[in-house]
Amino acid sequence: MHDGHMDKTDVKILEKLLADARMSYRRIAEEIGVSPPTVLARVEKLQKEGVVKSYSAMLDHEKLGYDLTAIIDITAAKGKIIEIEKQIARFPNVCAVYDITGLTDMTVIAKFKNRKELSNFVKKDLSLPYVERTNTHVVLITVKEDFRFVES
C-alpha cells in the first residue's frame, strides 16, 4: 500500500467506506462480492498503512451557520513559512492549509459565520509576526466541496 498500489478490491472497499463509513463489513462484503473476513483484513491493512486515517461525519457548515468560505493566500517572511502554517492550522475554523508554489507561500481555506468574523480573522488573527501579505477571496457559490475520492 505504501507505494500507492491497491487492487480493485481495496478500491471497492474504500469507495463503500467513503460513501458510508458506518457501513458494516458484512454489508460491504455482500455488495462487492467478497467474504467479511476479507473486508476486515483489507480495512485493517489500509488503516495500519495510513491509507485510512480516521472516520468522521461530513457536516453541512452552512446549516451550522458558517455562511462564508474564504480562500486566503499568504506570503510569509523567508524561513518562517512552516512556523506560520502551523500557527494558522491551529484555528478551529481553518479547514485546510496548503504550502504552495507560485507568487504566495500558502493558501488557507477557512469558514466564517459572517463578514465580521472574516474581517477579525484577516486583520487580527493573521497579523502574526512574519506574515507579510494576505490576499483574501470570498467564495460566492460552492459548486463542489468533497475531498472523498479514490481513483479506481
Side-chain angles (χ1 to χ4, degrees):
M1 287 305 164
H2 305 40
D3 60 6
H5 175 72
M6 293 188 297
D7 65 16
K8 289 180 182 179
T9 301
D10 291 329
V11 171
K12 287 178 184 177
I13 290 168
L14 290 174
E15 288 171 340
K16 294 296 178 186
L17 290 174
L18 286 172
D20 181 1
R22 298 185 307 168
M23 187 180 290
S24 71
Y25 294 162
R26 180 175 304 285
R27 181 158 167 220
I28 293 171
E30 288 170 6
E31 291 189 12
I32 68 170
V34 298
S35 70
T38 297
V39 173
L40 174 63
R42 297 291 186 106
V43 170
E44 286 177 347
K45 183 177 178 194
L46 291 165
Q47 290 170 338
K48 181 180 170 207
E49 294 180 347
V51 174
V52 175
K53 297 194 299 186
S54 68
Y55 299 89
S56 65
M58 279 191 58
L59 305 177
D60 183 330
H61 288 95
E62 286 185 14
K63 289 183 179 171
L64 295 172
Y66 290 90
D67 292 330
L68 287 176
T69 299
I71 301 167
I72 306 162
D73 297 322
I74 300 172
T75 304
K78 274 192 167 60
K80 299 295 181 180
I81 296 169
I82 294 170
E83 178 184 326
I84 291 170
E85 288 170 342
K86 287 178 180 176
Q87 286 180 302
I88 292 169
R90 290 187 191 115
F91 289 100
N93 60 316
V94 169
C95 303
V97 178
Y98 299 108
D99 187 314
I100 62 170
T101 62
L103 297 176
T104 60
D105 299 311
M106 68 196 80
T107 295
V108 174
I109 313 291
K111 306 272 186 187
F112 303 92
K113 291 189 175 182
N114 52 51
R115 288 192 315 261
K116 184 178 178 186
E117 273 190 10
L118 170 58
S119 179
N120 285 340
F121 183 78
V122 173
K123 292 175 183 169
K124 293 179 184 164
D125 296 337
L126 291 185
S127 65
L128 298 165
Y130 310 116
V131 169
E132 293 181 349
R133 193 167 42 258
T134 64
N135 184 26
T136 303
H137 310 271
V138 174
V139 174
L140 299 176
I141 298 170
T142 301
V143 177
K144 179 182 178 182
E145 186 175 76
D146 188 348
F147 292 93
R148 299 171 306 156
F149 75 93
V150 61
E151 200 169 344
S152 47

